[in-house]
Amino acid sequence: MKLIIIASGSSANAAVIENDDAAVLIDCGVTLKTLKSGLRQAGLGLENLCAVFVTHSHSDHIKGLPVIHRAVDVPFYSGTDVMMCSKFDGQIRTKDFDVQTFECSHDVPCVGYKISCGEKSICIATDTGTVTQSMRSAFYGCENIMLESNHDIDMLKSGFYSASLKSRIISDRGHLSNADCARFVTELAGFGLRRVVLAHLSENNNTPLLARASTEQCLARFAPQNHVSVYPASPGLILEL
Ligand SMILES: [Zn+2]
Ligand SMILES: [Zn+2]
């Protein structure tokens, strides 16, 4: 099973999970052209997609949805209300993938997905202000996770965003900071976690270096006996899970 990052960050999000030439797309925050070229880099095309799953209706996750929906003749699903998507609760099976939804905490209804294929699985939560109980149940014992590491709190506080936007981001229904992400990853380290992909990094209030250092330092300090690899979710990243 492979994770392929097409885009990740405050302005565009799309990722692909591939297994044996079948693939699911998570979120449609990119143009069809960007999706095609991201798939091509991984040796895939639109014909490999068997389903699309959308996390929530913010534009950085759905701006390509209408065009991608027209171009790809596969089911579109969401664990919440999203245009053009069939809503589902709990679990769904498509080709060899079992996809389970869990609730995130965001300023619009938002879900994450646990995608399993045989023995392998990955949990994906891109937009959440806090770690929810539903996330905990899904993430514990999962070898691979893709988790939001949105901002460095000092960069956000001293940055140019308005006071109201800053408090929206910091709130429990906003976005997970590097420190929040690092704490949860460290909590999971003793439960079989092997790989962490840091997702949805803010272009203005974070850097891949800072996000990675935050999680790696927390792991080194509080879970030194567990080997966990940490990767910022940069476009073009292809990770064998
Ligand atoms: Zn969002
Ligand atoms: Zn987002």
Side-chain angles (χ1 to χ4, degrees), residues 9-11 13 56 58 60-61 106 126-127 148 175 200:
S10 307
S11 56
N13 293 278
H56 65 301
H58 278 156
D60 55 317
H61 300 260
H106 204 38
T126 57
D127 295 53
E148 173 162 50
H175 293 282
H200 213 278

Side-chain angles (χ1 to χ4, degrees), residues 1 114-117 119-123 141-144 241:
M1 188 157 93
K114 180 173 189 168
I115 299 148
S116 309
C117 199
E119 299 287 288
K120 309 267 174 140
S121 60
I122 181 168
C123 281
C142 196
E143 274 197 353
N144 307 289
L241 305 176

